[in-house]
Amino acid sequence: MELNTGTEMELNIDMINEDPLKDIYLESIIENPEREESIQQKHIALLVIDMQYLDAARGCGVFAETGKSGVPPEAEEYYFYTLENTVIPNIQKLQKLFRDQKLEIIHTRIQSLTKDGRDRSPGHKRLNLLASPGSREADFLDEIAPIGDEIIINKTASGVFTSTNIEYILKNLGIDTLYVCGVYTNECVSTTVRDASDLGFYVNLIEDGCTTVTEEFHEFTIRILKDRYARVLNTEEAIAELKSKILTKGKN
């Protein structure tokens, strides 16, 4: 049995680290001309995930008592620093653009149907995660709360597509392209992005419009989703793209 030389081993490692399906995904999902047409035709929605007092507010919900959330204090501080200084301001910018252009904004939140949460998913029961109707935990953060007739979808699982009728709603609205933001990057956001992509939606993930409890989790999740399940943009890129395509379309 012959052993590979050092050079051969390096080549093999490079091949392992290279995504063999990268070009196929880029062509079929990311660079698909139908994606751009969908944006120009305004078949788009901003999907804001779980920006509520249960999981996105200091001193409330799962973070009611520091040190008892299961998240180390330094990770908790990272989460809220990025949330308050980057994510919330960026979501506000996106909401303003979508509202100004009269485009759909859809808000998801964790909320049970019942006060005692008996309808929750098995996963949320095991985690003792409960936001009952009318509770503070179920309230959206004031700074980015729904206004007017914006759609709210309640769920008791990580993925909104597997636990609600959101696909039916989006199809009724004629929407096939989503701009996704919210929390947590590696949990509810990731699950939603993957499910939406599998169901045929064009997904745009706003990388500075979401966060989680560690930078490593956030960056790793973005790297996994990028150009495979979603196109990844930052807030300024998304706004510039939308203004260029939607405002131009409106003038024609």
Side-chain angles (χ1 to χ4, degrees), residues 13-135:
I13 290 172
D14 288 341
M15 290 176 66
I16 291 170
N17 290 333
E18 180 68 26
D19 182 357
L21 299 177
K22 179 179 179 180
D23 291 341
I24 294 173
Y25 275 90
L26 278 173
E27 183 179 349
S28 64
I29 295 179
I30 307 305
E31 297 176 353
N32 190 320
E34 292 179 3
R35 175 190 288 271
E36 183 168 338
E37 183 180 344
S38 174
I39 297 172
Q40 291 175 337
Q41 296 298 326
K42 298 186 178 182
H43 297 162
I44 63 178
L46 178 65
L47 185 58
V48 185
I49 299 175
D50 300 353
M51 296 297 292
Q52 62 189 102
Y53 279 85
L54 174 70
D55 58 3
R58 293 180 189 266
C60 193
V62 297
F63 298 103
E65 296 183 59
T66 301
K68 291 190 177 181
S69 65
V71 178
E74 59 274 16
E76 189 173 318
E77 183 55 37
Y78 166 82
Y79 173 63
F80 281 111
Y81 180 83
T82 56
L83 192 65
E84 295 162 357
N85 292 279
T86 302
V87 174
I88 290 174
N90 284 336
I91 292 177
Q92 288 175 318
K93 292 176 186 176
L94 290 164
Q95 287 179 330
K96 183 179 187 309
L97 175 62
F98 273 73
R99 286 166 179 159
D100 287 348
Q101 295 301 311
K102 296 180 170 52
L103 299 168
E104 293 288 349
I105 300 177
I106 298 175
H107 306 258
T108 77
R109 67 176 166 190
I110 296 169
Q111 179 181 285
S112 60
L113 296 170
T114 56
K115 291 288 185 181
D116 63 4
R118 61 185 181 277
D119 60 288
R120 290 172 297 164
S121 67
H124 278 201
K125 287 176 181 175
R126 287 193 292 268
L127 291 168
N128 197 28
L129 200 60
L130 174 63
S132 58
S135 67

Side-chain angles (χ1 to χ4, degrees), residues 4 114 140 176 185 213:
N4 287 332
T114 56
F140 291 99
D176 58 17
T185 313
V213 294

